[in-house]
Amino acid sequence: MANSEKIILVTNDDGITAPGIRELVEAVKPLGKVVVVAPDSPQSGMGHAITIGVPLRLNRVDIFDGVEAWTCSGTPVDCVKLARDKILHGKPDFCVSGINHGANHSINVIYSGTMSAAMEAAIEGIPSAGFSYLDYSYEADFTLPARVARQVVEKMVAEGLPEGGLLNVNIPFCKIEDFQGVRICRQANAKYVEAFDERRDPHGKKYYWLTGEFKNLDTGTDTDVWALDNNYASIVPVQFDLTNYALKQQLSDTWKF
């Protein structure tokens, strides 16, 4: 099948009007037929949430030149589910999500709506990738992340991924001339040290803002955090099978019922 016949589903969690998704669409347009299904409003941090208590709505929009695009009233995962069932009426060849404003390295992959959309596609057997850029500014320059996204998707199209293969791609915030290239990495052992800032509203009732500081507990030089700190883009192959196989074996050997 020729590249022009490949169907590429594009989605995100920042909403269909976010600059990052426009850059991703432009990056992958030459590689196949692009269809966009994305949230109608920001959905960051939604993880793998789905909508079950209220009806979902799809609306056709004309905001990408020559590209079929739809907004969805639900979560990023809802977007992928509806795209497959009601818009494409089958599986696309690839799904790409992003380009997210901000990192989704290390533990962030658990909370990320960007990566959950790509993971939902992978669950359906669709080779997928999520792209994130370590610049949180709405006015971010997406030249570098768009270039990396194009290179990665070119590889996906030309060389393929296994059924359900899933990539977490993060791009550093640096000048193009300081960019060191792309590395295949593992997920760093890192976490947020969190706290809640307690305040009171004008009626004297308490409310809370989540705060926290990202702590890298990993000294390895093969991690996504190390790569990004050293101006490399990181590609971490991830999976939705959460089984801890080492602990499974340990418990099978030692826990007798």
Side-chain angles (χ1 to χ4, degrees):
M1 182 179 290
N3 285 353
S4 61
E5 297 176 294
K6 300 293 186 184
I7 298 174
I8 303 173
L9 174 63
V10 178
T11 188
N12 75 346
D13 74 347
D14 288 323
I16 200 164
T17 60
I21 195 171
R22 180 172 295 277
E23 296 290 340
L24 184 56
V25 167
E26 290 301 317
V28 302
K29 271 174 66 173
L31 304 177
K33 178 185 176 182
V34 172
V35 177
V36 178
V37 184
D40 59 12
S41 60
Q43 297 283 325
S44 295
M46 291 299 291
H48 215 90
I50 57 173
T51 301
I52 57 174
V54 296
L56 293 168
R57 299 186 186 277
L58 287 169
N59 288 293
R60 183 80 179 258
V61 293
D62 184 17
I63 60 175
F64 303 104
D65 186 30
V67 172
E68 179 181 350
W70 299 76
T71 62
C72 170
S73 61
T75 68
V77 172
D78 292 329
C79 292
V80 175
K81 288 179 177 291
L82 279 169
R84 181 182 183 278
D85 190 49
K86 296 301 181 185
I87 296 173
L88 299 174
H89 304 289
K91 294 194 287 189
D93 294 288
F94 302 97
C95 176
V96 292
S97 182
I99 300 169
N100 190 66
H101 290 258
N104 278 314
H105 59 358
S106 185
I107 197 65
N108 292 294
V109 70
I110 300 296
Y111 306 102
S112 167
T114 300
M115 282 304 298
S116 288
M119 185 174 290
E120 179 62 27
I123 291 170
E124 293 296 327
I126 302 162
S128 304
F131 297 91
S132 303
Y133 181 37
L134 274 68
D135 188 345
Y136 294 86
S137 170
Y138 194 83
E139 291 77 29
D141 180 356
F142 280 89
T143 303
L144 176 59
R147 181 181 301 177
V148 172
R150 172 68 177 270
Q151 292 174 338
V152 171
V153 179
E154 282 180 336
K155 289 286 189 184
M156 291 170 64
V157 172
E159 302 184 22
L161 281 177
E163 181 176 327
L166 175 60
L167 306 178
N168 182 20
V169 184
N170 281 271
I171 300 97
F173 177 42
C174 65
K175 296 179 180 179
I176 290 181
E177 56 267 31
D178 295 330
F179 181 58
Q180 299 299 305
V182 180
R183 290 178 63 125
I184 309 299
C185 301
R186 63 176 174 86
Q187 180 180 318
N189 177 20
K191 61 175 290 187
Y192 283 92
V193 179
E194 295 175 335
F196 284 91
D197 183 9
E198 181 179 307
R199 304 182 186 183
R200 291 185 182 272
D201 66 20
H203 302 285
K205 294 184 178 180
K206 294 179 181 178
Y207 68 97
Y208 304 91
W209 282 108
L210 177 63
T211 64
E213 182 180 359
F214 184 75
K215 294 286 188 181
N216 182 18
L217 309 176
D218 203 316
T219 60
T221 59
D222 59 342
T223 72
D224 49 5
V225 173
W226 184 94
L228 294 162
D229 284 346
N230 288 273
N231 291 342
Y232 289 92
S234 64
I235 299 179
V236 177
V238 295
Q239 61 185 18
F240 46 84
D241 179 356
L242 302 181
T243 306
N244 183 330
Y245 287 96
L247 183 56
K248 174 182 176 292
Q249 187 60 54
Q250 178 184 331
L251 296 182
S252 296
D253 292 341
T254 60
W255 285 25
K256 304 303 179 184
F257 292 96

